[in-house]
């Protein structure tokens, strides 16, 4: 790649800052912006927000930019004023599907109960695939008031609608479904009091998946390679409110519960289900218990079963706590397993996390490690490291002496990579300063 920054990789940050500043592009730049967004779906929300209404107008003229119509609320059509009950009802009854989805989403973000009531007026006459999309809109501002509607949806004739309703209900810890799941899961998990003292946890997975379990969202057919009983058991635990387990397991805290031994090789299944429950219920205390200490000898943690699982658990923590945990993990275990974990950290990385990444890269360089193994982390550092760190990196751009065990050409690669990192950080600093200092704000047109 050489030492030049990759400008396309910086475009998401440029767009985010430009949108935060309320800037708008010159009209002649819109075709290039839409071409860039056509090739990269991750750019589309920010690019379309930056482009404004002209993007929709242009998309109606060029089939290659049709994605802008699909992304715009209602396919680019204007929504009625939400206080105009007559217009709202007319669009809901007569509008195109995309317009109805946009209308429901807009109302849901402002008045959750009103959106749910509007959906109820046509629910029984909607197509199954449309019911599923409409039901998904209830994720926004989901609350106890939605329980009655979702309970009715558990009897829907569509399996996918039933499954989504059950998932949403299980995210409401006070729901009747969550209580039913807690009873079922509680019957499967108990303390082993052999010898008069609690020695750990014993598991007795369900022997059948009855109709009531299926109605509450338990999928009866296990995927290939999974045993039926463990499959059913995992779903029950995942849907059970996490505060159930303290009372069930002797008043212990989540950290104490996770530390208990689990008999008969059920530990990985039980802990994996608790991980999914912690993510679904956004429970930071359980997430911390399952992640364990970042400096623990076992990189997998006491409960997380994969890097993806750990990344999801980190997502329940605050940005500062997330960065601190990942920094501690890197300091202990290096970068070989850190790529996914770094991906959930807020940008720019805080100073402790940034230092941990740079120090680990420097250690790998000094050790003569195979340099291409760290290209992904280096790419993340270019986009995520605080630009203020650039001066501290100047000492790493020289070609190091290569030891006998070093990969051939590694020193040159590391020097080139660090030079590109420093150049990119300084470009990001200049880019941000220019956007924050500009006075070129313009009114976005409402029509073209």
């Amino acid at each position: 790649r050489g030492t030049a920054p990759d400008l396309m990789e910086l475009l998401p940050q440029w767009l985010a800052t430009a949108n935060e500043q309320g800037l708008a592009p010159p009209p002649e730049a819109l075709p290039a912006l839409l071409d860039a967004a056509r090739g990269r779906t991750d750019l589309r929300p920010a690019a379309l927000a930056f482009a404004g209404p002209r993007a929709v107008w242009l998309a109606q003229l060029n089939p290659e930019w049709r994605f802008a119509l699909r992304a715009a609320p209602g396919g680019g059509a204007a929504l009625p004023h939400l206080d105009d009950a007559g217009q709202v009802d007319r669009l809901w009854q007569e509008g195109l599907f995309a317009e109805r989805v946009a209308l429901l989403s807009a109302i849901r973000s402002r008045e959750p109960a009103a959106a749910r009531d509007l959906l109820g007026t046509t629910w029984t006459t909607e197509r199954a695939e449309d019911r599923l999309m409409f039901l998904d809109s209830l994720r926004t501002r989901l609350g106890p008031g939605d329980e009655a509607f979702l309970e009715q949806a558990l009897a829907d004739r569509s399996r996918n609608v039933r499954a989504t309703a059950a998932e949403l209900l299980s995210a409401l810890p006070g729901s009747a479904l969550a209580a039913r799941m807690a009873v079922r899961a509680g019957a499967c998990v108990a303390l082993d009091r052999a010898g008069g003292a609690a020695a750990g946890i014993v598991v007795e997975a369900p022997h059948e998946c009855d109709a009531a379990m299926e109605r509450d969202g338990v999928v009866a057919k296990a995927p290939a390679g999974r045993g039926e009983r463990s499959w059913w058991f995992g779903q029950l635990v995942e849907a059970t409110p996490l505060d159930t387990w303290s009372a069930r397991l002797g008043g212990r805290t989540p950290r104490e519960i996770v530390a208990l031994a689990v008999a008969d090789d059920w530990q990985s299944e039980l802990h994996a289900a608790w991980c999914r429950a912690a993510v679904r219920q956004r429970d930071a205390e359980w997430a911390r218990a399952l992640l364990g200490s970042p400096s623990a000898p076992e990189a997998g943690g006491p409960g997380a079963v994969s890097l993806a699982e750990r990344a999801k658990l980190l997502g329940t923590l605050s940005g500062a706590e997330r960065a601190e945990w990942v920094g501690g993990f890197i300091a202990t275990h290096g970068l070989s397993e850190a790529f996914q974990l770094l991906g959930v950290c807020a940008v720019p990385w805080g100073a402790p996390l940034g230092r941990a990444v740079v120090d680990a890269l420097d250690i790998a360089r000094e050790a003569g490690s195979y340099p291409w193994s760290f290209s992904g982390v280096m790419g993340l550092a270019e986009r995520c490291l605080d630009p203020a760190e650039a001066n501290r990196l100047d000492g790493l751009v020289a070609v190091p002496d290569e030891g006998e065990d070093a990969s051939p050409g590694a020193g040159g690669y590391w020097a080139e990579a660090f030079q590109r990192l420093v150049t990119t950080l300084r470009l990001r600093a200049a880019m941000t300063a220019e956007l924050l200092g500009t006075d070129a704000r313009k009114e976005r047109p409402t029509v073209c």
Side-chain angles (χ1 to χ4, degrees):
R1 283 180 50 194
T3 59
D6 187 336
L7 299 182
M8 278 299 293
E9 289 302 314
L10 300 184
L11 188 53
Q13 289 184 31
W14 191 95
L15 286 169
T17 306
N19 284 330
E20 289 168 3
Q21 293 300 108
L23 302 174
E28 62 270 19
L30 286 174
L33 181 62
L34 290 172
D35 280 340
R38 177 170 63 93
R40 283 184 53 174
T41 57
D42 62 310
L43 286 179
R44 291 179 183 178
L48 294 177
F50 185 52
R54 278 199 178 106
V56 174
W57 176 71
L58 286 170
Q60 293 169 342
L61 304 176
N62 185 346
E64 292 188 346
W65 299 331
R66 289 285 176 176
F67 68 86
L69 298 179
R70 295 192 297 271
L79 296 177
H81 196 286
L82 299 184
D83 292 328
D84 187 338
Q87 289 293 332
V88 166
D89 184 66
R90 186 174 299 109
L91 182 59
W92 180 248
Q93 298 291 339
E94 302 173 5
L96 299 173
F97 176 68
E99 294 172 332
R100 299 177 73 214
V101 170
L103 176 65
L104 188 66
S105 298
I107 297 174
R108 181 70 180 182
S109 65
R110 195 177 78 168
E111 298 181 44
R116 186 181 63 248
D117 293 343
L118 181 65
L119 178 56
T121 61
T122 59
W123 178 257
T124 58
T125 62
E126 303 286 358
R127 298 183 306 165
E129 55 268 36
D130 293 351
R131 292 199 303 277
L132 183 62
M133 289 291 293
F134 290 141
L135 192 64
D136 202 59
S137 71
L138 299 189
R139 295 180 190 277
T140 301
R141 302 183 67 179
L142 180 69
D146 300 314
E147 182 177 0
F149 184 90
L150 293 171
E151 276 283 345
Q152 291 181 350
L154 289 177
D156 196 272
R157 55 188 179 274
S158 165
R159 180 171 61 86
N160 289 333
V161 171
R162 295 195 303 270
T164 300
E167 179 191 346
L168 293 173
L169 282 168
S170 69
L172 295 172
S175 69
L177 179 139
R180 295 193 295 269
M181 289 298 199
V183 171
R184 293 171 180 133
C188 299
V189 178
L191 284 174
D192 179 6
R193 299 187 180 277
I201 293 175
V202 290
V203 171
E204 180 65 28
H207 291 272
E208 65 173 342
C209 180
D210 58 31
M213 287 168 61
E214 287 196 67
R215 181 183 181 276
D216 283 347
V218 176
V219 178
K221 184 175 176 57
R226 285 289 302 273
E228 284 186 332
R229 295 182 65 201
S230 65
W231 171 244
W232 301 330
F233 171 72
Q235 293 178 80
L236 296 181
V237 174
E238 178 182 354
T240 295
L242 286 163
D243 59 12
T244 299
W245 300 110
S246 180
R248 177 69 178 159
L249 300 174
R252 290 171 170 80
T253 65
R255 198 175 296 276
E256 291 169 337
I257 291 171
V258 170
L260 290 172
V262 183
D264 300 326
D265 296 324
W266 281 101
Q267 178 164 310
S268 61
E269 190 71 50
L270 178 60
H271 284 191
W274 278 337
C275 285
R276 297 191 297 273
V279 172
R280 181 182 293 189
Q281 298 171 37
R282 309 298 299 172
D283 193 307
E285 185 179 7
W286 269 89
R288 293 185 193 102
L290 291 160
L291 282 165
S293 169
S295 59
E298 173 51 57
V305 296
S306 68
L307 284 170
E309 207 87 53
R310 292 202 292 279
K312 291 176 183 177
L313 288 170
L314 285 167
T316 68
L317 307 181
S318 69
E321 187 176 359
R322 205 179 308 165
E324 181 182 3
W325 196 95
V326 176
F329 182 92
I330 290 170
T332 301
H333 303 289
L335 292 169
S336 60
E337 295 190 49
F339 183 77
Q340 280 185 285
L341 306 182
L342 285 168
V344 302
C345 292
V347 177
W349 293 335
L353 176 58
R355 281 195 296 270
V357 172
V358 172
D359 289 346
L361 286 169
D362 191 24
I363 290 170
R365 182 187 74 131
E366 290 291 333
S369 298
Y370 192 66
W372 296 274
S373 301
F374 300 92
S375 59
V377 173
M378 189 65 82
L380 272 180
E382 291 173 20
R383 300 189 296 275
C384 304
L385 198 62
D386 191 328
E389 294 289 310
N391 291 337
R392 199 170 70 86
L393 297 171
D394 281 334
L396 301 178
V397 300
V399 178
D401 295 331
E402 293 187 5
E404 293 182 1
D405 297 330
S407 301
Y413 171 88
W414 282 112
E416 180 182 280
F418 276 116
Q419 180 62 65
R420 183 173 59 248
L421 175 58
V422 171
T423 305
T424 302
L425 293 178
R426 289 185 172 138
L427 176 61
R428 283 175 51 207
M431 176 183 81
T432 302
E434 181 181 89
L435 289 171
L436 295 180
T438 184
D439 292 323
R441 291 172 179 78
K442 297 185 289 186
E443 288 284 334
R444 287 193 176 94
T446 56
V447 294
C448 289

